Amino acid sequence: MLMASPTTFNSSSNITNGNDPKNVSPTDYSVEEIERTINDFYSPTSQLSVPQRQQLNHILECLQYSPLAWDFSWKLLNINKSPSVQFFGAVALCNKISKHLSELDDNQIQQLFQQLIQRLIFYISINSKQITIKLVVALGHLILNMMPDKWKNGITAIITLFTQSQNEFLIKHPEKGHLIVLNILTILPEEFSRIVVSKAQRASIRVELESQFPTVLTYIQFIIATYNQADILGKMFSCLSKWLEFGISIIKVESLFDYLFNSLNNESIFDDASDCIIVLFTSPDALKYPSTFSRLLPYVLQLEFILDQALMIGDKEKAECITKLITQFGENLAQLIVQMAITPNQQIQTLSHKFCCLVMKCTDMKGQYPVEETCSELTFSFWYALQEEVTSADEDEKQMILLELFRPYFERLIEVLISKGQLPENDSIFTSEDKETFRCYRVDITDTMMCMHNVLGNRAIEVLANHLLLAVEQNQTWQRQESIIQLVGAGSEYVPLDENLVLPRIFLLLPKLNFCNSSIINATLMVLGQYSSWLGHHQETLQNCVHLCINALSTPELIQSASIALKELTMENRMHMSKYLNDIFPIIKNVLENANVQPNDRIRCVAIIGYILSAYPSKIVIDHLNILLAPEVNKLLAYLSETGGEKNVILRKQNVCTTLSFISVLITAIGYCGDQSDNEENEQHQKQIEAVNDIPEVLCCVLRDLDPILHLVLKQYADDNEVTEKLCEILSRTVTTLRESSSPILNTLLQLLQNIGPTILHLQFLNFVRNTLLLFSQDTDKQTFNLFLAVLQRFGCLFNGDIVWLKNHVDIVEDFANFLIQVIKKLPHVVHHCPNEAFVLLFQFVKSGLQLHEQSTLRSITMFTSNYIEYTKLNQRAADLLQQNGLEIVQILLKCIGSASPRHLVDTLSLPLFTLSKAYIDWTSNWVQQCLNDPNFPTPSPKRHHREALIKALTSERTSRANFKDNINTFSSTCRGIDYSGTTSNKNRS
């Protein structure tokens, strides 16, 4: 048997005798113990605890890559062993060949090859599919690693080896030999990207594979001519697909076009053939060989016959597959379709237009989606790609020509989208899953309509207006009218604010719609909200629409869409909307008093009133606030005095959170000063209001009045994350809304913050502190410097130097790191006032935080570390501490880069090291040198030249961030035993 190095197995049972598996080397396990471990791990009746399973998994992973695997894998590949044991043996052998083939010399590799061939034939003879697949992958990696230096023309040899074998089984079953060959020929291009070799060797392997493709093609043609079994032909299609994905040019397989498309008429190989054709269509060669792809188009057009047949017999699955083929061709070759449409050759132009008509036929598929048809949705991507090609034409004249050519299709598409997007007359035909699928379908229709607005401009909204007029005049179904209104909403971002011809016609038609169903009313309300900016510039139209929203608020099933629309209208046009206060306020008051209204709808209603009140003098604001807030405060007091079981406790907390959100939104809305559609009349009105308006003073009074209530909330919920989040949101919104005007109540706000429990440090807490510091940290009379220290103290108590706590609270850690980044970058003077203990805490945080494995959290920590290093240049105390802690930080970084952290985090970990080298090059080179002087640090794998290359990259003043990352990645790979240098290590040869 193959052995990388002689090994003596320990006969003692390391698993059953209670030894900690983490402390046992893979070389301490005998084959029997390995087998027992595998059976224990995979047994369906296993009683192992989660920690025990994790330990066994760790052992098995180590064993797969250990030198022992060259020996035990063959012993486990024994028919008398359990299937799990045999499969583990195959996996271990595959992993060793793919990652550590350099441990074997040439003679051992030849021996390995012969053994692998024999075992592969045996397992295919007993029809063991899983193990056969693993052994084929192993053989594929072995062949790739032997190319081209150790095995020239290997593909020819492999074909001969299995098709002309003297093996008794293969002589009796020649088709099995061909299946092996097809599997190997499939694996070679598929696994090429995964082989671990140097760049030079990878390039030479690619050249060898490309030069051998004629042999592969000849073999494929032989299979086509000789066999008609579905399994062999299916594997042949898979093989061809992988070579096309590898990059073989489409012109090299042109001889197979006829066979590929004719195969779609064979039911037994239809799926395999269609998968292969899709790969053909997605080839990147389209613009490189346009004439070749043009010759494919007649084949695609012939698919219409198969599609019609499938639809005739009700084969939805086949119809969907053919539609996918058609649209995949169009989506990937839209540029070619466009070029063909403007070519002087009339015949080629006709092909392009026939293709667009075929796709339109698929889009306009008869039947209700998704119950009766599932094809139309697949075509939307083609229409998107086509409009992209038309709108991205580099010359205006060419764009105009293309637009004229394809305009009829785009306008027809709008008509089709109206029909396909209609709600069914009877939605009982839908299951709950169908309803969700149809909802997503309508979203896709809306997105496609946005493309039509983009390419047609105002013509798109004009087409919709014409259809809407027709629908109203002919009293067409409310479903059709609703569908048109939905598509009108899709154009809100594309219609200019000064559009004065089409939209007024549409809005004049709205009162004439067939409002017999809540769905069409909801759709109309949503359109009003979507066009709030445009309506603000056309106030005569706005006036006609407002009352539709106001009246809808009185109907429970319309509250959501009505409140959304009204909120948008008031936010965009608050000065103009302010005149409707007396109309809106009583209705919203009733909505807020209705206990059945959803929390989000209540919050929107509060915002509406807040935006309107922001345009009024203080007295009116206070009068209405008293009416709104009094019942909310009473409800809040009632919630706080309630008692009851666990269910009531949860409900009470939800109610408290809703009321706090109510207050938070009201503060923000009343303090709102923007009005995107202000005109001269509004500006004059605003100046008149400002003369008697003192919103900051009003809000300060409100907060003072609410202060004792909020303290009562904290008395019960000081340690509750959800409730304190809502309370901190009030504090933060108050500061950001009032800015410097919040100064009179700042101490009140800070006192509330101080009473929040010591374990609370969520994002809203940090946001309030950050916003307060940004506003008031320059004012030395204010006691704001302590805010930053308070955050550090909270974090210090929670963290307490425990890395496990960091791992279990990555959300807090990430928010805290982001908070520190902002403070250090924008408010370094605040950090200057910190005592030494604070700087020590930050270094402790850095050292532990860099060892986390959560990517987004680690990214925030490394960015903070980098900023903190930069900051130390401004603060000698911090710089002195960096000098004391730098060696340990570098050790942690190199250890994580070398092996302790997953490879995908290496790029992120390189940032602090790069910043260190640029800020303190002498210190950094000294620290790195000290670490790498240990030949076993971070692992024994890097040799002297690897270590010297890293130090050189660190000390070079001209090293860019990108080059530095490349050097770090190379060093990391070397540490993990992946050597890209192209050299072969025979250290562990027998």
Side-chain angles (χ1 to χ4, degrees), residues 97-116:
I97 291 173
S98 63
K99 297 291 196 302
H100 300 137
L101 192 62
S102 61
E103 293 176 357
L104 305 181
D105 60 26
D106 291 348
N107 290 332
Q108 289 174 317
I109 290 174
Q110 286 301 322
Q111 186 185 351
L112 171 65
F113 179 76
Q114 295 301 327
Q115 286 179 286
L116 200 48

PDB file of all heavy atoms in Angstrom, residues 97-116:
ATOM      1  N   ILE A  97      -5.119  13.249  -3.016  1.00  0.00           N
ATOM      2  CA  ILE A  97      -4.633  13.430  -4.387  1.00  0.00           C
ATOM      3  C   ILE A  97      -4.787  14.889  -4.821  1.00  0.00           C
ATOM      4  O   ILE A  97      -3.890  15.460  -5.446  1.00  0.00           O
ATOM      5  CB  ILE A  97      -5.394  12.487  -5.351  1.00  0.00           C
ATOM      6  CG1 ILE A  97      -4.996  11.027  -5.085  1.00  0.00           C
ATOM      7  CG2 ILE A  97      -5.110  12.844  -6.810  1.00  0.00           C
ATOM      8  CD1 ILE A  97      -5.812  10.011  -5.851  1.00  0.00           C
ATOM      9  N   SER A  98      -5.899  15.504  -4.467  1.00  0.00           N
ATOM     10  CA  SER A  98      -6.161  16.872  -4.931  1.00  0.00           C
ATOM     11  C   SER A  98      -5.321  17.917  -4.197  1.00  0.00           C
ATOM     12  O   SER A  98      -5.032  18.965  -4.750  1.00  0.00           O
ATOM     13  CB  SER A  98      -7.647  17.204  -4.788  1.00  0.00           C
ATOM     14  OG  SER A  98      -8.039  17.180  -3.433  1.00  0.00           O
ATOM     15  N   LYS A  99      -4.926  17.627  -2.950  1.00  0.00           N
ATOM     16  CA  LYS A  99      -4.228  18.641  -2.152  1.00  0.00           C
ATOM     17  C   LYS A  99      -2.760  18.306  -1.857  1.00  0.00           C
ATOM     18  O   LYS A  99      -1.944  19.203  -1.718  1.00  0.00           O
ATOM     19  CB  LYS A  99      -4.949  18.837  -0.811  1.00  0.00           C
ATOM     20  CG  LYS A  99      -6.370  19.375  -0.931  1.00  0.00           C
ATOM     21  CD  LYS A  99      -6.399  20.808  -1.412  1.00  0.00           C
ATOM     22  CE  LYS A  99      -7.754  21.466  -1.163  1.00  0.00           C
ATOM     23  NZ  LYS A  99      -8.883  20.782  -1.779  1.00  0.00           N
ATOM     24  N   HIS A 100      -2.435  17.041  -1.744  1.00  0.00           N
ATOM     25  CA  HIS A 100      -1.104  16.678  -1.244  1.00  0.00           C
ATOM     26  C   HIS A 100      -0.386  15.659  -2.122  1.00  0.00           C
ATOM     27  O   HIS A 100       0.371  14.820  -1.626  1.00  0.00           O
ATOM     28  CB  HIS A 100      -1.221  16.115   0.182  1.00  0.00           C
ATOM     29  CG  HIS A 100      -1.804  17.068   1.170  1.00  0.00           C
ATOM     30  ND1 HIS A 100      -2.741  16.706   2.101  1.00  0.00           N
ATOM     31  CD2 HIS A 100      -1.610  18.402   1.352  1.00  0.00           C
ATOM     32  CE1 HIS A 100      -3.091  17.756   2.819  1.00  0.00           C
ATOM     33  NE2 HIS A 100      -2.417  18.799   2.378  1.00  0.00           N
ATOM     34  N   LEU A 101      -0.602  15.728  -3.408  1.00  0.00           N
ATOM     35  CA  LEU A 101       0.065  14.767  -4.294  1.00  0.00           C
ATOM     36  C   LEU A 101       1.583  14.933  -4.261  1.00  0.00           C
ATOM     37  O   LEU A 101       2.327  13.996  -4.542  1.00  0.00           O
ATOM     38  CB  LEU A 101      -0.458  14.954  -5.729  1.00  0.00           C
ATOM     39  CG  LEU A 101      -0.092  13.850  -6.726  1.00  0.00           C
ATOM     40  CD1 LEU A 101      -0.672  12.516  -6.306  1.00  0.00           C
ATOM     41  CD2 LEU A 101      -0.576  14.213  -8.128  1.00  0.00           C
ATOM     42  N   SER A 102       2.051  16.120  -3.883  1.00  0.00           N
ATOM     43  CA  SER A 102       3.501  16.376  -3.838  1.00  0.00           C
ATOM     44  C   SER A 102       4.199  15.522  -2.786  1.00  0.00           C
ATOM     45  O   SER A 102       5.430  15.444  -2.766  1.00  0.00           O
ATOM     46  CB  SER A 102       3.766  17.854  -3.566  1.00  0.00           C
ATOM     47  OG  SER A 102       3.229  18.235  -2.313  1.00  0.00           O
ATOM     48  N   GLU A 103       3.437  14.851  -1.902  1.00  0.00           N
ATOM     49  CA  GLU A 103       4.045  13.965  -0.902  1.00  0.00           C
ATOM     50  C   GLU A 103       4.548  12.658  -1.519  1.00  0.00           C
ATOM     51  O   GLU A 103       5.272  11.914  -0.870  1.00  0.00           O
ATOM     52  CB  GLU A 103       3.021  13.650   0.200  1.00  0.00           C
ATOM     53  CG  GLU A 103       2.651  14.856   1.048  1.00  0.00           C
ATOM     54  CD  GLU A 103       1.575  14.567   2.079  1.00  0.00           C
ATOM     55  OE1 GLU A 103       1.059  13.440   2.107  1.00  0.00           O
ATOM     56  OE2 GLU A 103       1.258  15.488   2.849  1.00  0.00           O
ATOM     57  N   LEU A 104       4.155  12.367  -2.770  1.00  0.00           N
ATOM     58  CA  LEU A 104       4.535  11.115  -3.429  1.00  0.00           C
ATOM     59  C   LEU A 104       5.563  11.379  -4.516  1.00  0.00           C
ATOM     60  O   LEU A 104       5.552  12.422  -5.168  1.00  0.00           O
ATOM     61  CB  LEU A 104       3.306  10.446  -4.046  1.00  0.00           C
ATOM     62  CG  LEU A 104       2.110  10.173  -3.124  1.00  0.00           C
ATOM     63  CD1 LEU A 104       1.003   9.480  -3.902  1.00  0.00           C
ATOM     64  CD2 LEU A 104       2.515   9.349  -1.922  1.00  0.00           C
ATOM     65  N   ASP A 105       6.448  10.388  -4.736  1.00  0.00           N
ATOM     66  CA  ASP A 105       7.388  10.496  -5.854  1.00  0.00           C
ATOM     67  C   ASP A 105       6.756   9.875  -7.101  1.00  0.00           C
ATOM     68  O   ASP A 105       5.632   9.360  -7.065  1.00  0.00           O
ATOM     69  CB  ASP A 105       8.727   9.850  -5.507  1.00  0.00           C
ATOM     70  CG  ASP A 105       8.598   8.366  -5.174  1.00  0.00           C
ATOM     71  OD1 ASP A 105       7.634   7.734  -5.673  1.00  0.00           O
ATOM     72  OD2 ASP A 105       9.435   7.852  -4.421  1.00  0.00           O
ATOM     73  N   ASP A 106       7.484   9.898  -8.225  1.00  0.00           N
ATOM     74  CA  ASP A 106       6.914   9.449  -9.505  1.00  0.00           C
ATOM     75  C   ASP A 106       6.508   7.982  -9.466  1.00  0.00           C
ATOM     76  O   ASP A 106       5.456   7.605 -10.004  1.00  0.00           O
ATOM     77  CB  ASP A 106       7.914   9.695 -10.634  1.00  0.00           C
ATOM     78  CG  ASP A 106       8.102  11.181 -10.914  1.00  0.00           C
ATOM     79  OD1 ASP A 106       7.288  11.976 -10.381  1.00  0.00           O
ATOM     80  OD2 ASP A 106       9.029  11.549 -11.656  1.00  0.00           O
ATOM     81  N   ASN A 107       7.334   7.132  -8.853  1.00  0.00           N
ATOM     82  CA  ASN A 107       7.005   5.698  -8.791  1.00  0.00           C
ATOM     83  C   ASN A 107       5.729   5.463  -7.987  1.00  0.00           C
ATOM     84  O   ASN A 107       4.882   4.643  -8.358  1.00  0.00           O
ATOM     85  CB  ASN A 107       8.157   4.904  -8.167  1.00  0.00           C
ATOM     86  CG  ASN A 107       9.373   4.851  -9.088  1.00  0.00           C
ATOM     87  OD1 ASN A 107       9.229   4.917 -10.313  1.00  0.00           O
ATOM     88  ND2 ASN A 107      10.566   4.750  -8.511  1.00  0.00           N
ATOM     89  N   GLN A 108       5.601   6.178  -6.878  1.00  0.00           N
ATOM     90  CA  GLN A 108       4.403   6.038  -6.054  1.00  0.00           C
ATOM     91  C   GLN A 108       3.168   6.530  -6.791  1.00  0.00           C
ATOM     92  O   GLN A 108       2.081   5.962  -6.651  1.00  0.00           O
ATOM     93  CB  GLN A 108       4.579   6.817  -4.746  1.00  0.00           C
ATOM     94  CG  GLN A 108       5.587   6.183  -3.792  1.00  0.00           C
ATOM     95  CD  GLN A 108       5.851   7.065  -2.578  1.00  0.00           C
ATOM     96  OE1 GLN A 108       5.992   8.276  -2.712  1.00  0.00           O
ATOM     97  NE2 GLN A 108       5.931   6.442  -1.418  1.00  0.00           N
ATOM     98  N   ILE A 109       3.336   7.602  -7.589  1.00  0.00           N
ATOM     99  CA  ILE A 109       2.199   8.122  -8.365  1.00  0.00           C
ATOM    100  C   ILE A 109       1.743   7.094  -9.392  1.00  0.00           C
ATOM    101  O   ILE A 109       0.543   6.874  -9.584  1.00  0.00           O
ATOM    102  CB  ILE A 109       2.582   9.458  -9.032  1.00  0.00           C
ATOM    103  CG1 ILE A 109       2.712  10.558  -7.968  1.00  0.00           C
ATOM    104  CG2 ILE A 109       1.552   9.865 -10.095  1.00  0.00           C
ATOM    105  CD1 ILE A 109       3.226  11.883  -8.495  1.00  0.00           C
ATOM    106  N   GLN A 110       2.709   6.420 -10.041  1.00  0.00           N
ATOM    107  CA  GLN A 110       2.346   5.369 -11.008  1.00  0.00           C
ATOM    108  C   GLN A 110       1.608   4.230 -10.321  1.00  0.00           C
ATOM    109  O   GLN A 110       0.618   3.695 -10.834  1.00  0.00           O
ATOM    110  CB  GLN A 110       3.604   4.851 -11.711  1.00  0.00           C
ATOM    111  CG  GLN A 110       4.190   5.806 -12.740  1.00  0.00           C
ATOM    112  CD  GLN A 110       3.207   6.140 -13.856  1.00  0.00           C
ATOM    113  OE1 GLN A 110       2.447   5.283 -14.309  1.00  0.00           O
ATOM    114  NE2 GLN A 110       3.218   7.397 -14.287  1.00  0.00           N
ATOM    115  N   GLN A 111       2.115   3.844  -9.161  1.00  0.00           N
ATOM    116  CA  GLN A 111       1.457   2.782  -8.392  1.00  0.00           C
ATOM    117  C   GLN A 111       0.044   3.211  -7.985  1.00  0.00           C
ATOM    118  O   GLN A 111      -0.912   2.430  -8.069  1.00  0.00           O
ATOM    119  CB  GLN A 111       2.297   2.460  -7.150  1.00  0.00           C
ATOM    120  CG  GLN A 111       1.784   1.273  -6.349  1.00  0.00           C
ATOM    121  CD  GLN A 111       2.580   1.079  -5.067  1.00  0.00           C
ATOM    122  OE1 GLN A 111       3.612   1.722  -4.860  1.00  0.00           O
ATOM    123  NE2 GLN A 111       2.104   0.193  -4.212  1.00  0.00           N
ATOM    124  N   LEU A 112      -0.088   4.469  -7.550  1.00  0.00           N
ATOM    125  CA  LEU A 112      -1.390   5.013  -7.176  1.00  0.00           C
ATOM    126  C   LEU A 112      -2.352   4.959  -8.361  1.00  0.00           C
ATOM    127  O   LEU A 112      -3.521   4.580  -8.216  1.00  0.00           O
ATOM    128  CB  LEU A 112      -1.208   6.462  -6.698  1.00  0.00           C
ATOM    129  CG  LEU A 112      -2.474   7.294  -6.459  1.00  0.00           C
ATOM    130  CD1 LEU A 112      -3.287   6.710  -5.311  1.00  0.00           C
ATOM    131  CD2 LEU A 112      -2.109   8.744  -6.149  1.00  0.00           C
ATOM    132  N   PHE A 113      -1.855   5.327  -9.545  1.00  0.00           N
ATOM    133  CA  PHE A 113      -2.692   5.329 -10.748  1.00  0.00           C
ATOM    134  C   PHE A 113      -3.244   3.935 -11.041  1.00  0.00           C
ATOM    135  O   PHE A 113      -4.442   3.759 -11.296  1.00  0.00           O
ATOM    136  CB  PHE A 113      -1.862   5.839 -11.933  1.00  0.00           C
ATOM    137  CG  PHE A 113      -2.594   5.877 -13.243  1.00  0.00           C
ATOM    138  CD1 PHE A 113      -3.524   6.863 -13.505  1.00  0.00           C
ATOM    139  CD2 PHE A 113      -2.367   4.913 -14.218  1.00  0.00           C
ATOM    140  CE1 PHE A 113      -4.205   6.899 -14.701  1.00  0.00           C
ATOM    141  CE2 PHE A 113      -3.044   4.937 -15.419  1.00  0.00           C
ATOM    142  CZ  PHE A 113      -3.968   5.942 -15.669  1.00  0.00           C
ATOM    143  N   GLN A 114      -2.378   2.926 -10.980  1.00  0.00           N
ATOM    144  CA  GLN A 114      -2.818   1.550 -11.265  1.00  0.00           C
ATOM    145  C   GLN A 114      -3.848   1.071 -10.249  1.00  0.00           C
ATOM    146  O   GLN A 114      -4.860   0.455 -10.608  1.00  0.00           O
ATOM    147  CB  GLN A 114      -1.600   0.611 -11.274  1.00  0.00           C
ATOM    148  CG  GLN A 114      -0.587   0.885 -12.383  1.00  0.00           C
ATOM    149  CD  GLN A 114      -1.192   0.771 -13.774  1.00  0.00           C
ATOM    150  OE1 GLN A 114      -2.092  -0.031 -14.005  1.00  0.00           O
ATOM    151  NE2 GLN A 114      -0.719   1.604 -14.701  1.00  0.00           N
ATOM    152  N   GLN A 115      -3.591   1.340  -8.969  1.00  0.00           N
ATOM    153  CA  GLN A 115      -4.538   0.932  -7.931  1.00  0.00           C
ATOM    154  C   GLN A 115      -5.893   1.611  -8.116  1.00  0.00           C
ATOM    155  O   GLN A 115      -6.945   0.997  -7.925  1.00  0.00           O
ATOM    156  CB  GLN A 115      -3.988   1.292  -6.540  1.00  0.00           C
ATOM    157  CG  GLN A 115      -2.861   0.400  -6.064  1.00  0.00           C
ATOM    158  CD  GLN A 115      -2.365   0.854  -4.696  1.00  0.00           C
ATOM    159  OE1 GLN A 115      -1.682   1.865  -4.595  1.00  0.00           O
ATOM    160  NE2 GLN A 115      -2.716   0.114  -3.672  1.00  0.00           N
ATOM    161  N   LEU A 116      -5.847   2.893  -8.477  1.00  0.00           N
ATOM    162  CA  LEU A 116      -7.074   3.657  -8.642  1.00  0.00           C
ATOM    163  C   LEU A 116      -7.913   3.109  -9.791  1.00  0.00           C
ATOM    164  O   LEU A 116      -9.143   2.987  -9.699  1.00  0.00           O
ATOM    165  CB  LEU A 116      -6.718   5.129  -8.887  1.00  0.00           C
ATOM    166  CG  LEU A 116      -7.787   6.204  -8.638  1.00  0.00           C
ATOM    167  CD1 LEU A 116      -8.473   6.014  -7.298  1.00  0.00           C
ATOM    168  CD2 LEU A 116      -7.146   7.587  -8.709  1.00  0.00           C
TER     169      LEU A 116
END
